[in-house]
Every structure is written in C-alpha cells, then in structure tokens.
Amino acid sequence: MTNPLLSVRDLRVEFATRRGPLVALDGVSLDIAAGEILGIVGESGAGKSLTGLAIIGLLDPPGHIAGGEIRLDGRRIDNLPAAEMRKLRGRRIGMIFQDPLTSLNPLLRIGDHLVETILAHSALTPKQARERAIALLSEVGIPAPEKRIDGYPHEFSGGMRQRVVIALALCGEPALVIADEPTTALDVSVQAQIIAVLKKLTRVHGAAVMLITHDMGVIAETADRVAVMYAGRIVEIGKVSEVVRAPLHPYARGLMAAIPTLEGRVARLAQIPGAMPRLSAIPRGCAFSPRCPEAFDRCRVERPPLLTVGDRSAACWLYDRGHAPAMTTEIVS
Amino acid sequence: MSKPAVEPSTIESAPRSFIGRLADNDLVASFLSSKITVAAGLITLILLLAAVFAPLIAPTNPFNPATNFLIDSLTPPRFAAGGDPRFLLGTDDQGRDMWSAILYGLRVSLLIGIFSVLFGGAIGITLGLIAGYTGGWIDAIIMRIADVQLTFPAILIALLLDGVAQALLKNSNREGTAFGVLVVSIGLSFWVQYARTVRGSTMVEKNRDYVQAARLVGLSPARILVRHILPNVMGPVLVIATINLALAIITEATLSFLGVGLPPTQPSLGTLIRIGQNFLFSGEWWIVTFPSLTLAILVLAVNLLGDWLRDALNPRLK
Amino acid sequence: MIAFIIRRLLASLGVLIAVGLIAFVMFRYVGDPVNQMVGIETPAAEREALRQQLGLNEPVIVQASRFLLNAARFDFGISYQFRQPVSVMIGARLPATLELAIVASILSLLAGVPLGVYSALRRDSALAKLFQALSLVGISLPTFLTGILLIYLFSVTLGWLPSFGRGAVVPIGSWWTTGLLTMSGLKSLIMPAITLALFQMTLIMRLVRAEMLEVLRADYIRFARARGLSERAVHFHHALKNTLVPVMTVVGLQLGSIVAFSIITETVFAWPGMGQLFLQSIQNVDIPIMAAYLLFIAFLFVIINLVVDLLYVIVDPRLRAAVHGASG
Amino acid sequence: MSAALQLVSVRGLKRVFDVSRPWISRFIDREPRRLLRAVDGVDFTIERGQTFGIVGESGSGKSTLARMVVGLLRPSAGQVLIEGVDMAATSDPAARREVRRRMQMIFQDPYASLNPRWRIGDVIAEPLVAFGLGAAQASGSEKTLDKAGIVARVDDLLRLVGLDPSDKRRYPHEFSGGQRQRIAIARAIAANPDFIVCDEPTSALDVSIQAQILNLMRDLQETLGLTYLLITHNLAVLRHMATRVGVMYLGRLVEIAPTEELFAHPRHPYTRMLLDAVPDLAMSGRARTPVGGETPNPIDPPPGCPFHPRCPRAIDRCRIEAPILRDNVACHLPLSDSK
Amino acid sequence: DAGAKTLRFAFQGELKSVDPYQINESFSLSVNESVYEGLVRRGPDMKIQPCLAESWELLDPLHWRFHLRKGVKFHEGQDFTADDVVFSAARVRGAGSDLKGRIPADADVVKVDDYTVDVILKAPNPLLINEWESWGIFSKKWSEEHGAMDATAMNATTPPYAALHANGTGPFILVSHEPGVKTVWKTNPNWWDKPRHNLDEVVFTPIANNATRVAALLSGEIDWMDPVPLNDQARVNANPDTQVLAGPEIRTIFLGMDQFRDELGHSNVKGKNPFKDVRVRKAFYQAIDEDAINQKVMRGQAAPSALMIAPSIYAEAKDFKRIPFDPQASKKLLADAGYPDGFEVQMDCPNDRYVNDEQICQAVVGMLARVGVKVNLNAEPKSKFFAAITAAGGYDSSFYLLGWTPTTLESFNVFQYIIGCRDQKTNWGGNNVGDYCNPKVDALAKSALQEMDEKKRDDIYKQAWQISLFDDVGYIPLHQQALAWGVSRKTHVIQRPDNYYIFAWVTMD
Ligand SMILES: Nc1ncnc2c1ncn2[C@@H]1O[C@H](COP(=O)(O)OP(=O)(O)OP(=O)(O)O)[C@@H](O)[C@H]1O
Ligand SMILES: Nc1ncnc2c1ncn2[C@@H]1O[C@H](COP(=O)(O)OP(=O)(O)OP(=O)(O)O)[C@@H](O)[C@H]1O
Ligand SMILES: [Mg+2]
Ligand SMILES: [Mg+2]
C-alpha cells in the first residue's frame, strides 16, 4: 500500500469534561487505499463512530481532535478551517449513518434532499440535478426512481431509505465513503442487499469504503482488511481472512470464539469475562489487560504499540519479540 | 447453585461520602458551572429564607392594622431626603413599613406561587397519568376537558371564579377566600400543561419494559403509576413547575391589578405594586419601586433556575 | 382531509358548548346585573320586576340552553348596560382587539424567532446569553406596570406616542375599522402592541431556542453536514423548518392568551377592544357580553387550533399521510 | 410428545390490532376498518426443560406473541395453557397469581427494562414482595414475608447471575448493558418461575457480552430446570440455544422443526432464504443470495401465501391459497418434497 | 377647519347610553344634559334657573303651573311644545325608565295650551323641581317616528333607537356615540340661549385607568378629565400646562352599622348585636381619626363632616361639630358596653366607587384595631359590593362604607333613603343598609316635607340630625369627598359641587 487514499496517524480524540479531558481515541492509525473496503469492528463504545466522525470533521463539541494527523491524498485535513473542510465533505468524503429512519429530514422530499446536495457540489441546473438524482436512485437499486423521487422519507421502508442515504452520500462522487453501521437496523435479508450496493460502489466508482460495524459476519463477507478496536484503540489490523481465521490479539481471539455459528452447537460459548472499561477508567498499560487470560506484568504497566506481525499488526506485548513468552508465539506461525 | 458465570462486577464499590457524591453529581456540577445560575440560586434561597423568616426579620407586622399609623404614611426611605430612621424603605399610604410589607408580601406571593403550582400540578399529573396510561375514551375525555380549560386563561378564570367563590362562601371574609380563589384559578390554568406533558411521557414510559415487568408480577395499575411511572415523568414536570412558579407570581400581580388579587390589608408583592402604581406620578417612588424590584428579581431568579433545570435535565443538550 | 376537518369541528363544537355552559353557570355568581342597571334609589319591587323580565329567575339550565340556542344563531341578546345588541358591540370592538393581537403576535414572532435562532446557533456566545437574560426581564414585571412605565416614558416625558385610544381609524368594508392606515392609528398601536408582545416574544424566543437546539442534534442535520451542505442551508433550510413546526402550535395556542392578556393592555391603554368591554361587563355584571366574549374566545381558540392542525398537516408530510389514509 | 411433558401449549393464538383511522374519517372516505393481524393463528407446545426458539424478521409478530404468552397482552383468539391452565380463563385470583408467578419474561432492551429510579435491590425484590415470597426457598417456609429473608434472597440471586451482593444499592445507570441484563434475569428468576420468555435477550448486546448472557441462561436452565421461549432474529443464537425452532413470517409460523433438522434441511423457502442470508463468518465461500423485496406491509398482506411475492418457487396456487401448517411446514411445495 | 375648537374630555367610566332616562347615574345624567334640557336647570351656584320653562308658579301646594319657552326647536327641527312635555313626563315614568322618581307616579301632567303645562299632585311637594334638570325633554314626534316611546325595556329584542341617537333642544348635538369607546357632539348653532362656550366640538373618551388618564392630560392629549387621583394632583399642578380644580363635593362618605339583626352576620359576637348598643356605635365613632384620614388619605382635600349632608347645601351645617376623636373614651365605651377586649367584625367596602374608598377603609381598620376591634376588611368592586348591601342582596353587611349624594340637593333626600326606618312598600329607608331606625326622626323628616318655608324646614332638619347622628349615633359621617378635575390651562371650566360636567360653560383659549 504505497499510496493510501486516506492515512490516519496516531489520531487522538478527547472530550473536554469538567473532570479533565476524556481520551476517547488514542493513537489510532490506519490507511485505506482507493477501491478498498476497510472494516472497523469492535464493541459498542470502542470508538468506531468517533473515528469516522473525526475523519470527516464532524465531531460534536466538546469532542475534538487532540493529536495525530489525518491525510487525504496526502493532504492534511485534520486542521483545515471549517469552510475548507466543508468543501471536502460530500465531495471527497461521504458518510452514511446507522439509522436510516432518522438520517433524512422528514419534512423534505427525497428529491429535495438529492437535488440540494447535487447542486451544492456541481454547477448543474436544477433540472439536470434532478435527472442525476433519478440516475443515482436507480443506481442504488430503487425501482421506479422517477416516481419515488417525489416521495417523502416516511413513505419508504428502512431498506429503501438506507439506499436513499447511500445515494445521497454518492451525490458528490466522494473518493472515500465512511459507512457507520449501515445495516445494523435492517433485517438480515435486506442487509445483504445493502452490502451488495456498497460492494458495487467500490467496484464501479473505485471509491474507498470504511465500513464500521460490530458484526464480524458482515466484515468477513465484505471487507478487504479489518481493524479491530477496543477501548479507543486499534488492537489488531490486517487482512480479513487472516484476522477472522487466526486472530492475533487475545481480545480478537476471544471475540471470534464468542460468536455462535451456524456450523454446529457447542456446549458453551467461549466468553471473555468482564466488560470493556469506561473511558474514564481505562487501566494503565494495555486496556484489555484486566480481562486478558494471557496478561502478564508488562501488560498492566506499559501500553503496547501496534506491533507488526507478518503483514498484520497487533497491539499486544505477546508479539514483542524480546518479551513474549515463547509458548504463545507459536500461534503466529 | 452453579458457579457464578463471571466474577463479580468490576465497578468500584467503595461507598463514597455524601459530599463526594454530590460533587460527582452531574446536576450539581452543571449548577455550579454557571455563575448566573449560582447567583440565581443564591438569590432564590435568600428570598425564600426572607419569606420564611419574615416575622423575625421584619421590624413590624404589616398585616396587623394596629401597628400601622396613618401619621407615618408616605415617609420616604431612610436614605432619602425626609426619611425616617424607623423605615428603611419608607412607608406606604397607610403608614406601613415598606420593608416589612415587602418581606411579608414576598411570603404571600411565594405561597400563592407554590400552592397554585402544587394544585395545578396535582390535578395535571393525576389526569395526565390516567389519560396516558389508560388511553381510549378516558384519555379522549380528559384531553377534551383540557381543550375547554385552555380557552379559559388564568385571568378569565380568576375574574369568574372570584365572583363564584364569594357567592358560595358568603360568610367567610375576603381575606380568606381571595387566597383560595387565586390559587385555584392560577392552578387551574396550569394543569393542562402538566397533564399534556405527563400524558406524553406516560405513554412512552408505559411501553417501557420495566413497566411490563411490573405488570408481570401482577401490580395494580395504580401502584404501577405511582411507584414506577410517576418518578420517571417528574423531570419535565419539575421544569414546568419552576417556570410556572414565576408565572404564578406574576399572574397574581396582574390579577391584583384587575381587582381580584389579595386584599390590601394582607398584600402580596403584586398587591403592593398595584397600590404603588398609583404613586408613579406623585413622587412617592419608593412605594412602587421596591416591591417591583423584589418581584422582578424573584421572578428572574426563579426563571433562570428553571432554564438551568431545563437544560440540565435534557440529556440531549449535555 | 375533509373528514379530518369535520372531526375537528365536531370536537370543537363540544368544546364550545362546554364553554358556554360553564360560563353561564359561573355568571350566576358574578353578581346581580340588576344592581348595575338601575340607580341606587330604585326600589326593590322595581328591581324584582326587572329580574323577572330578564328571565334571571328561571333555572340556570333553562337560561343556559336558551342562551346557547340563540348563540347558535349569533344572537347573544342585548347588553344590559348599553342596551345594544351584543353581537353588534362585539363586532365593533373586534377589529381593535384583533388588530392589536395580530400586530403583537407578528411583533413577537419577528423578534422572537430570530433571537431564538441566534441564541441556539451561538449557544455559548455572550450575546446569546445576554438575550436569554434580557428576555426574562420582559416577563419579570407585570404587564400593567410595563404599560404604565411605557406611557410615562414615551407619552408624558418624551411626548412621542399617544397614551390612550386607537387614534384615527378608517372603515374598511361595512364593519371593519382599521388604525393601520393612519399615522395616529399606527402611533397609537406601538405601545400597546409592544406591551402585549413582550411576554409572547420571550416565550417564542425561548421555545425556538430549545427546539432548535434539539433539532440541531438530530441525525438528519448531521447527515446534511456530512453531505457538505453549507451551514446556511443546514441551519435555515433544514433546522429552522423543523424547528418551526412545534413552535407553530404554541404560537397558535398563545394567540388565545394574547387575546386574554389584551384585557390588561386594553385597560391600561384605554384601547377600545373586546378585552376592555369584557372587563367593563364583569364590573357591570353584563352577562350577555360576558357570555358572548367567552364564547368568542373559545371560538377563536377552536379556529386557531384547527388552522394550526391544518398547517401541521400541510407542513408535515407524515401527518398528511395519516390524514389521507394513504398506506405505505 | 406426551401431554405430561408439555409445560406450555399455545393454541390458535391470534392478535389483531385495529389500526383504523377514526370512524368519521373512515365514514367519509368510505374506507373499511384496517386490521393488522400481528399474530395470526399460532400453535405450538413446549416441553418442560426445553428451549423453544422463534425466529423471524422484524415485524413478523414475535414480540406480540411473546407478550400474549406471558399475559401482558390479551389474545384476540386462542389460548395459552400452562400445564393445562389457561390464565385468561381462570377466575380464581390465587390460581391466576400462581400461574403468573410461574412465568416471567426477559426483555430485549437492557436499558429500558429496569426502572431507572429504583435501586436494583428493590428491582429484584419486587417480585418477591408482590408474590409474598420472603424467605429463601432453602428455609422451606414459603409465603413468609420477612425483610431479612428478602435481603438474603436478593443477595443469592445477585450472586447467581454473577454480580456482587453489594451492588444492590446501586442504580441501573451505573451498570453496563450486560450487567443490566443479568439484573433483569435475576428479577425474572426471583419468584422461582418454571418458564421464562426471552424476547431478543441479547440483540442489544455486544457479542462478547452476548456469550456471557447466553451461557448464563444455559447454566440457569440446567440448575433450575427452566423452560425457555427464546425469541430472536439471530439464527446463530438460535442454533446455539434452542431445542426446537419455529419460523415466523407475517404473523404465522411457517415451519417448526427440531433445531438440528431445521438447519440441516430447511423445508420452507423462507427458512432457506433466512439461512442463506446469514453472513458467512467461516468464509467458506458460501455465496449470499440476496432475496429481492422486503417484508410486505402487514396491514394488507399479499393474498394466498404471504411469502409468495419473494418466493423463487412460487406457483399459481401460492398466489391464491394460503397454505396451512401441515406436517410442521406451511408451504404448498416444501423443499424436502422437491429434493 | 383650523380654528375649530374641540374639547377633549375623559372620564373614568363610560357613557352607557345617550338616553338620559335609562340610568339614574350622575355621570350619564350630567353629560346628556348638554343635549336634552329640562324645564329647569341649575346655574354655577347650584341655584335653579328657568330653562325650557320660562317661569312657573305654585297655584296651590298641589298645583304647579309651568310656562314654556317659545321658539325653541329640537336638533332635528321639531318645535318644542307642551305636547313634548306631557309626552316626556309619561316617558320618564314609563317602562324602562330609571328616573321614575322624578315625578310622583300619581301626579298628573296636563297640557293647558301649547306653551303651558300643569302638574297636579296628590300630596304637597316643595322639592318637586329640585331634580328636574336631569329630566330632559324628548320630542314626541321624533320619539314616535323612531319607536323610542319608552326608555328601553330591558328585555327588548331590538336595540333601542334612543340609546344611540339623540334629539334634544340643548346646546350640543350628538354626532356619534360608540358605547364605551367614544362620543362626539357638535355645537348647536340654533340654540335658544346665548352660548357661554366657544366650542365647536366635544369628544368624550372613557379612560378607566387612573395613570393613563393622568398621563393623557399631562401629555396634552386631553383637555379635561375627571377624576384626578389625589396622589397625582401635585404632579398635575406641577405641570405648566395643566392644573387641578379641586373642591368639596356634595357626596358624603360615611360608615354604617347593622342595627337590625339580632346577631351580626359577620362577626365573632354570637347571640347579640353589639351595634344595637349606642355605646358601641359611639366608641367606633370616637376611635376614628377623621382628621388623619383627611390629611393622609385624602391629602387634605376632603371636608370632614359632622353631618351626612354637605354644608354647601345645608345652611345650618356650621352649627354641628364632629364628636371628638378620643381613643381612650372609645375604649371606655367599649368596656362599658361589655367589650373590654373588643370584638371582631367584617367591614364591607367598595374599592372602585369613591375617592380612595379602599384606603379610607384600611385606615379605619387600623384605627379600630387600636381600640381593640378587629376588623376584617372586605374590599371589592362596586358591582359586588352593591349586590351584597342593597335590598336585593338582603342588606348583607355588618359594617360598611357608603357614599350618598342627595340628588335633590336637600336634607330630606338623606332622611328618605338613608336614615329613615326601612319600609319595603314605600321604599322609605330603601338604602338604610344597617336599618338605623328612630320613628321620631322619620316623623320630623316627613313633617319637613309639609313645610314650605325653607328656614323652618332647616330647623326641623336640625333636630332630626341632632337625634340621628349625635344622640343615636346612627351613622358615622366621615367627610364630603374631594372633587378633582384635571384641566389644561387653556381650558376654562366651571365646577359645580354636584360634579356635573356642563360643556356649555367651557371656553378654550
Ligand atoms: N459527547 C461525548 N462526551 C463524552 N463521551 C463521549 C461523547 N460521545 C461519545 N463518547 C464516548 O466515546 C466513546 C466512543 O464512542 P463511539 O460512538 O465512537 O462508539 P462506537 O464504537 O461507535 O459504539 P457503537 O457501536 O455503540 O456505535 C464511547 O465510550 C462514548 O461513550
Ligand atoms: N399496539 C400495537 N398496535 C398496533 N400495531 C401493533 C402494536 N404492537 C405491534 N403492532 C404491529 O404488529 C406487528 C408485529 O409486531 P411485533 O412487535 O410483534 O414484531 P416483532 O417480530 O417483535 O418485530 P421486531 O423484531 O422488530 O421486534 C408489527 O407490524 C407492529 O407494527
Ligand atoms: Mg457508533
Ligand atoms: Mg420485537
């Protein structure tokens, strides 16, 4: 990956609270190449959405980027003035939110949403914009778009609305689309349809997609690479097939084992004891150490950086050549 | 009994001191974070205390006609030319010490405010809970009654009710009935607001699973409403109550202007202002200025507290 | 849609009847009209005869139903005090009150909405906080005092504005009169309208602010930003529109209380409107006027409610669907 | 399946919601009443100690069914029998209470299922107080309502679900979602029920927490001999937990089968579709076949078999005649037949 | 035109009707007098003058003859004749009239010729024409044309013509009347008398709120208004363009006590009525410091009064002195009467009727408190106040404040309505709320009516006053209240103690 489209380095997001800053993202680094789907998984509150919002510059105060840098096409965008950043939004970076029911303004027609957005990003006439809107709708698989375009959001089902939302994100033909849990609110059968649309997006438009979800299944099926997040940090990042089959980080391993599968009934699911710590009480050292069956002293005092293991990276002292107990290294090989 | 599936919760369990918990409380913290709010809180507290302890603070009892000497009337405040050291803020046309009258008037105004909010709140919350929980035609009837009520603003109710009360309670004196009339009419004009709010929240809460769980163990609707739903719908009610408290005090003043306020022998702040406005042109400025100032400060402070409460209790505005 | 209107009208009719009945029962106790109709020297027998004539000795329910039946034909009887048909009197006073109330509403909207929007968009700015606090000052003094202070300042001290009355009015059509077309009429309107608007303005401003803050946190606003729409489009096309929908109801409901509050404003400014008439009628126990006024207020309220509901339906497509019964 | 083993038996359960507009509007627009058949004739039985799973898409009537089974919602028709007793038909209040005590429910949203104003000790004690079960069952003296007994029992329950007894003085907001679900489970088992209805108990939880809760439920089932009705839209969870499974579509059970069998040989095309739609975590290369269309509007379901518009195998008969559940599958052309 | 002189006049109440017969209320009577003239009128000195009757004579005590003025025309052109007088005499005693008492019901009004009218009485009445200035003459023809035969019957279903339109003979012609809003008159160019005024137009606006009314005067928006609240008089005088015209009015403000019931309706004394004891009444009297009330509450503008009639209309009033203020004596009297610790009683008081009425009552409450009597003040708007204390309300008051203007400008009126023993049938003592009753006083008063000599009549009244107010202390007179008009300095008005507003006497610079 020589020339990533998006490159995030050591991103740190804090919330200013009256008890001092709350570190919500700490040292997040990742790259996405054009045409690639990067999955981000992790438990609720791990910081997945914040990562997406930080990239598109929509963190709500008191949240703010407190360190690190974000580059798009090599240009730094984390410190752009608001007006500049606004120009990027929609045109270079698009974003889709989780809940299709609330992402659309209930008082405006679908067409109004689309035309407004298209006009904001191009020099088209309203009439041309409308034609383009219809084209976009049919592209995301809405039947009879020339009729549906004058409908209101509430007249659409959840799956349809999510397609409209995707169409809206595509209006400015962004190079990067951040999709924050685009299928969570939908039924399994519809989920598959939406995933198909996203995949087509990368194929046809060559866009990069950052797919945020907590569903490993969706990632496994859709993404090229995946980053696993835990308590505001990336604990493992690498090719999906590898991460799913043989996760390196003990958390990722626990996670994979905890997912029940269709393949057969086990007596007990493997479980990770305890719960993710609150942001205000993240332990020193490795954030996962209190729940980690393999933690050793160093884990509790020193924070592991992302260590390269093959063509993957994992933030775990187990993979620090010098200090790892010999036994666990075998897992890697 | 099986082994616990996981070890006991990891939440720190050492009980903290009351002060510690208080400092940690979001509500308290947001209160302390705004200087204006703290000032409003302090002022409200001072005024409340002044009202409660009026008999101890006030040099005279302005409600006792025997202690007001007509000879002393229209004396300017102590610090103004012609002032009398006995009267800090001067006297009114009856020789009443303004300072004492304001302290007692504050007491009356606050009592009216509090009672009418309680009265309106009690009716509104009860009806709102019933309407929201039962739904159907009971709900429809209650809401239609609310519609009728809305067409009678407090002013109209008070004007009408004053006559009714005096006709019905012929033999009790006005000093007694006026208070009741004001509380009832101001309270009546409030209940719809509570009822609508509570009804809305109740309709949301009643479908919450914790209410379903309570129904599963066979609790009666009344018990569910009181023990489970009521505490959870009180947040917005509290906000309305604060703002209504201020509104009630102002409304009482307004009604006093229309001649259905409290009798001049037991004046509220509103009555004092009503009396004082007759001296606007005559140079006896202190008769209207001090009660108005007190009223304005009280209303302002209570409203500011209401504002803060509204923002603080709204999780989405955090 | 028609069904919706009919349903609302039926409910409204119920409200009107209830108001009429309640009002009538209450009048029984407001005082004895006969006392006000004759001088103090009039002997008791004559008073009794008068009472008989007026039907005041009949059971309340008989009186009330007669009143309601007549009211349905817009016949509210003759004012005890003025010996004029109540409908004519109210009709003559109506323009004054409505003009005042509408101008006050517009004033409060014109000031309240922008101030509310501003203090929501710049929530933490000093100016917004100042507006917030200042707006409270407007409601911290009783209306009558504000009115008198205004008069003292602008009429007595500065001599800029008239202190009472409606100024010169010109008739429009056969029964409407307006003060909006003459200089003195406009000047006369300023102070009463401001006095009346002050309270509403505060209310609207705070409401707009609160609603707007809520709306600004909605997902669709965030999504609109994510699409790269300009702040202006986000604030005014998306947020403001959605903010004003709930504000509409409150403003509508408030028009009723504006009319009620105009009792005080009209009294202070000797504004020849219905509020003043009503207050006089209470003092004079002029039951026909009181009853007609209350019914009128109820009617106004009902109409406003209906209009607001219809506006809702027009503005909010979700409701439109519910009303039309379209599914899916 | 002998009757003695049947703890729960549901017969012809229906629930119709009237979602019509007000009568006057309907009258003027000459529009009929609009009825939503949320649950439309469901029959099943559950044997003691088993877990009966119900799966279906959003809006298929799962929650409505669950609420009717526990008695939170009155059925429009049909019966729910607990060991042959129909709670709705029992006039004796004591007997009703006893039936009620024997079944409890665990809800989907751990954030809404606990009263935010109550300490969790009180939350868990509420069924004990309501049913007059003071003393711990070990002491043998039931029906004695003493404070100490309740406290002791609450402590036991907290420990049983993996929490610390000292937690009982805290409020719900101080707990994580998984912990809240444990508390909800503790409340559900407080009155020693036999039967627990679980409406999507883990769908609001993260997978790592889901595993904890599912394990806990299993453990409790083993130690307390509980019977579950487990509702979910997650087939994998069902596969893991259920002994038998019913598949719901638009208010009807379209297929009932023992778990293994259902997953191995789905017979209804809809079941097949659901199975296909599950993302393939094992990355076995199984292609997902996105099915066209979405769940129809339940207010006016398609005529005939409600699934026919989305069914790849639909024949003319499907468009006219609604299949009934025969041989545990409601399809004119069940898959196994064709194979 | 530019030189037109418009008098802008404001009053606290509204003009209910332009038909003077409709309500017996001094404001409406006085204003309507500018349009409708009576057979007689009163001059600035209150003396009766000829008006539409040029002269009259008493043929015998029961027979009055009036010679009518010739050449007088109504505003709409009709000639004024004896027919109009006879018609009006019937109208004023007819249905809907509130002035029925102006002419005894049993008197006959007879046309002698076109310009002579006789009034034949059943009983002598020297005071017959005392109230006749307010009984304006209607045109018979006009009334018939417009169906204004009666002052409106209350239950009329159509609006009465005469309530909105007027056609008199007076100096001003009604231009428009919007009830409760505004009334406009213009000068009658064809008036029979030589106008003293120089006005072209009069505009009347009711301004109920005191502060607004004062402001309107101060800002020069009105030329004349009534009343100026006592508090604001200094301010009005301080203003270079305005002044207060103050003077004692003939209305007397007094306190009454229930001496009728055996147990007071609103008191803590049970089983007896303390006010039946003259010592208690006197104790109340002596507890009240009327001078303080005058100085502080009335700002020195009132005239403390020993009698219930103003000195300006009763020559011998100067011989009477108020019973002195003496709290010690008062306490002693109360103790003697068996109330050493006082008692508790409710006082009813209007709060929008008389000058500073509520404040007077408050002051009284304070003064009585200091002799141990606890008074619960019930101050209410006049509508409610009068509803309770009049006959219709069952004279429901134990202790009250009331004001009375003898419209005949003569003591008899007070004895007839206020002091006389109550008699349902004849309405004698009809406003004697507390029913103070001494037959001796009644006999004296009635005998005065037979007495045609004014001086002798006054002597009879003197005895009656002595008994009722000093021996019996039947009432506690307080003062004649102050009259206070506010006028701009360019407006010259003539103030009469009966508070009549005579537009015809106004000149403007
Ligand atoms: N305004 C805020 N103030 C304080 N903390 C916040 C705020 N917004 C988010 N957080 C915290 O930041 C952390 C990351 O939140 P984020 O929304 O990115 O989680 P997520 O991984 O997207 O979770 P989910 O799967 O629930 O969407 C959470 O612990 C959350 O509590
Ligand atoms: N009280 C009600 N009034 C009207 N319709 C209702 C009511 N409750 C449920 N419904 C409707 O009944 C149908 C079934 O709802 P139910 O909640 O049982 O579905 P579900 O299978 O539990 O869905 P989910 O997976 O979303 O929880 C839905 O179409 C729903 O809209
Ligand atoms: Mg998220
Ligand atoms: Mg459900």
Side-chain angles (χ1 to χ4, degrees), chain E residues 347-351 357-358 361 377-381 385 400-401:
Chain E
M347 177 179 194
D348 299 298
C349 183
N351 59 14
D357 40 14
E358 186 172 3
C361 292
L377 181 58
N378 176 35
E380 46 188 5
F385 173 76
Y400 60 93
L401 175 136

Side-chain angles (χ1 to χ4, degrees), chain C residues 20-35:
Chain C
L21 286 177
I22 292 173
F24 217 90
V25 171
M26 288 185 122
F27 296 150
R28 284 290 279 195
Y29 303 104
V30 181
D32 181 0
V34 171
N35 271 306

